[in-house]
Structure formats: C-alpha cells, structure tokens
Amino acid sequence: MEQDPKPKWEGKVSERLPKATADQIWPLLNDFFNLHKWFPSLATCYGIHGTNGEPGCIRHCEGSSIPSTDTNTDGHSQPVSWSSERLTVVDHVERSLSYEIVDSNIGFKSYVSTVKVVPQGDDGQDGCVIEWSFNVDPVAGLVLDELVRKYKVGLQQMAERLEDAVKGLRKVDFLFLFYMFAAALDYFYSL
C-alpha cells in the first residue's frame, strides 16, 4: 500500500511600499540576474544561462538566510548556501514573475515561487505591494512557519532597499532637472 505523500508547503508574504509605485519597482524586480542588489541575505546572484528577464534563463544565487545541507569539511567555515533558479513565467502587464529551483544545497525539492508587484490606489500612485508566494515539498530541518518568517523578514528588508533606490532615483532626477533648468537659464541670459 502506497503512503500518502507529504502535502506541499505553501506560503505567502507581502509588504507595502508606500513611497514607490509599481511602475518604479517592477523594473528592479524584473532584473532576474541581480536579486542580490535588493535581497540582503544574498551575497551574490548572477546569470548562468539565457537572457536576463526571459523565461528559461537561469540564475545562480548564494546567501545565508537558509542553511546549507552541505557538511563542513574543515570544521570551521560554514558552507555557502546556493541555488540555481530558472525563470519560468514573466507577465509585464500583471508585473509578476515565477521561477523554480532546479538545483540547490538548501534542501528544496519541487520549489516554485511567484513575485508580484500590485499597484495601490485608483491611479496606481499610492505606492504598491510586493507579494511573494512559494510552493515547495517539505524541507528536512526546517519548519514551515520559520520558513515563512524568513521570507517575511527578507521581503521587509528588500522593500526598504527598493524604496531607498527609488528615492535615490528621484533625487537624481530632481538634480538633473535642476541642472538642466539652470543651464537653460544660463544660456537664455547669455544671449
């Protein structure tokens, strides 16, 4: 008699970004090969196959939020946690992407995740919400609630970084416009 397989773990976290619109955040999250710029516990993330942002491309991520299942060989250093992740779906209209882990040393099997940026307000100008959901086979050594907590903390930190980046871009845009206005005035008065 066959045993029932363990049910998959499902989790979803979300974070509101009141100072950034979905149109500002989506291009940053859609940069699939550069998640480490925004996700604090990733030391690195880079493309290993395909074109960034196109379904089928694969990225390599290394970080520390989920412990490696590798054993230490020297007894001193922690092994680096890594995963190879394939982008499976991109929807620019809905501002969502889905990816799957194709290989890792963190114990994930049959892992699929979706990240979506949802505009807020009637005109989409009242900030946005990032939703991050996952579906994975149970992971030895982890508890679902703890995994969801790791995602929540990571998403909160990522949201702060994303808003800071957008705020920095607004500052650069303002300074650029100010410089262009000053240059135009200078030109006008030199005539």
Side-chain angles (χ1 to χ4, degrees), residues 134-183:
F134 65 87
N135 183 306
V136 63
D137 288 338
V139 180
L142 288 178
V143 176
L144 176 58
D145 290 342
E146 178 63 17
L147 186 59
V148 171
R149 188 192 68 73
K150 286 179 182 285
Y151 273 78
K152 182 66 176 169
V153 168
L155 183 56
Q156 287 169 340
Q157 294 171 345
M158 185 169 77
E160 289 174 18
R161 283 187 173 187
L162 289 164
E163 276 196 325
D164 287 348
V166 168
K167 184 170 62 174
L169 290 174
R170 283 192 297 253
K171 239 184 241 183
V172 169
D173 290 345
F174 173 77
L175 291 174
F176 176 75
L177 290 174
F178 178 78
Y179 172 76
M180 294 304 292
F181 179 72

Side-chain angles (χ1 to χ4, degrees), residues 10-28:
E10 294 183 2
K12 182 177 182 178
V13 296
S14 61
E15 190 66 27
R16 181 156 163 53
L17 288 73
K19 299 175 186 168
T21 66
D23 288 337
Q24 292 170 317
I25 296 300
W26 173 243
L28 304 177

